[in-house]
Every structure is written in C-alpha cells, then in structure tokens.
Amino acid sequence: MSGIGLSLRNVGVEYPARDGDEPFIALSGVHLDVQPGEIVAIVGPSGGGKTTILNVVAGFLAYEGDVSVGGDKPGRRRDLGYMFQREMLLPWRTMLGNVALALELRGVERQQRNEEAAAFLERVGLEGFERSYPYQVSGGMAKRASLAQVLIHKPSLLLLDEPFAALDPFTRASIEQDLLGLVEQSGTTTVFVTHNLQEAIALSDRVVVTSTLPGRVLGDHQIDIPRPRSVLDVQYTPRFAELEQEIWAQLRGQVVAAA
Ligand code: ADP
Ligand code: MG
C-alpha cells in the first residue's frame, strides 16, 4: 500500500442560500498540492473552510475549479479513509465488531473479518479490548478504535478532521506517535485538520495555513525536522521553536483579527 497525490487548483465552494440570501462562499481560489506519501496539516481559524476542503477531496461537495485525487475526480476512488471529528462507534457493538463492520458490509466472511479487525486493533494498541464495548473504554481508546475503523480500508489517502482535539495532551501524543508510525510505514498520504499548531508541526512534512472566510491557502511551510520524530520531544528542539514562531506570525493575523 502506498500513497496517492492530491491537487486542488483554484477551488471554490458555495453553500446554497437560505431564505433568499446570497449564496454563502466558503472557499475561494484554493490551491493545494500534496505529494504521494506526504503528511500535511491544515491549520486556520475556526469556520474558515477547513472541513469544507476535506469534504471536497472526499467527493461530498460540488465545487468549482480542478481537483485531482490520485489522478481521478473526487468521489471516484475507494481507497480513501476519512476520520471525522466525532468518532462513529456503534454502542451495541464490541470494539472488534465496530472495526470489522466495514468488512462485514463488504461481505467478507466472519472468521476472516474478525482476524483482520483483531490485527488492526493490535496495530492501534488495543490488543485485549476486542470484546469491550465503547462505553467500557476511555476516550483515547475510543479514538484508537475509530482510527482502526479507518485504517482497515488500507487507505492510500487518509483525511483526518481535528481527530485528537478532545484528548488530554499525553493521550494525544501517544496516539499521534502511533499514527505517525503507521502512516510512515505504509506511505499513506495524510491530510489532517487541526487547530493545534504544535500537533501540526510535530506530525507533518508541511503545514498549510488557511484564512478566514472565504477560505483560501495563505501559506505553506516546509517542516524540515528529520524523521523519525518523537512527538513529545520534538517540540523542545530549537528548529521547532523557529518554525512555530514563523507559522504563528501568519496564523495570528487570522485567528486574532476576528477576536
Ligand atoms: P472549519 O472546518 O474551518 O471550521 P467549515 O468548513 O466547517 O469550517 O465551514 C466553513 C463555513 O461554511 C462556516 O461558516 C460554516 O458555518 C459554513 N458551512 C459549513 N457547512 C455548511 C453547509 N452544509 N451549509 C451552509 N453553510 C455551511
Ligand atoms: Mg471543521
């Protein structure tokens, strides 16, 4: 399994008007290129169209401009993984049952899907919790399970929308470290939205800064910190501090202007 590239050229999105209002312009003139296997973070002000960008790539929205997802139009590929902001674990299914669900829907027979789901649970650090129900596990473990739910599709492109926002910093770092290991190993192209600048820098090859509405890409910052990285330790290196300052200088104008 390896990653696919992604390109957005001059992309705009309008949401339909309500009650005779003007249509609402969420994105305008968005340019973004992601190379196969790259890990890219999108940071920007709340309500600035970050989720809308992911939804265009996933093929959920009508848009203007040109979008290529591994050479195809959005919505054509089946090797996309999308982890939404809120996890989607069915409360009446065990962790194993939740992770196996996608395979079940595809008609994979029981023993095979359970073996595969167990392997993915192990990969995200949930060995021994196959029979637990979502209400019996911590928030971090539920996140790990929803990550397994997405990875079991063996995506060539992984989209993550503020995946770890609700977790405490140490739980978050631990999941991020595991995620990093998994996508680095598989070469999966990864695009994730976050409002956490430290998280963006620690995980990514590039950090893209988006604007207030209508959303567009303001800046693109190469993160030249060698891999493998320790998510927790990397933030105490001098280069990290420089990059953080450089990106914050750009982000600040967007998130503070509105306040
Ligand atoms: P972000 O993820 O950066 O917070 P979003 O992409 O979710 O921003 O939303 C951008 C803007 O578009 C917001 O002002 C939001 O209210 C609006 N919006 C999002 N989805 C819809 C929709 N389905 N219909 C109308 N407006 C929407
Ligand atoms: Mg959002």
Side-chain angles (χ1 to χ4, degrees), residues 51 85 161-162:
T51 298
Q85 222 163 329
D161 195 358
E162 298 191 25

Side-chain angles (χ1 to χ4, degrees), residues 48 50 67 70 95 111 115 136 150 157 200 204 221 226 232 255:
K50 303 183 298 298
V67 180
M95 304 296 256
Q111 193 186 337
E115 277 171 14
Q136 294 173 311
V150 173
L157 173 63
S204 307
H221 304 261
L232 273 177
V255 295

Side-chain angles (χ1 to χ4, degrees), residues 93-102 104 114 117 121 130-131:
R93 281 191 166 234
T94 63
M95 304 296 256
L96 188 79
N98 268 292
V99 176
L101 180 62
E104 192 175 331
N114 283 351
L121 280 171
E130 295 84 357
R131 303 280 155 216

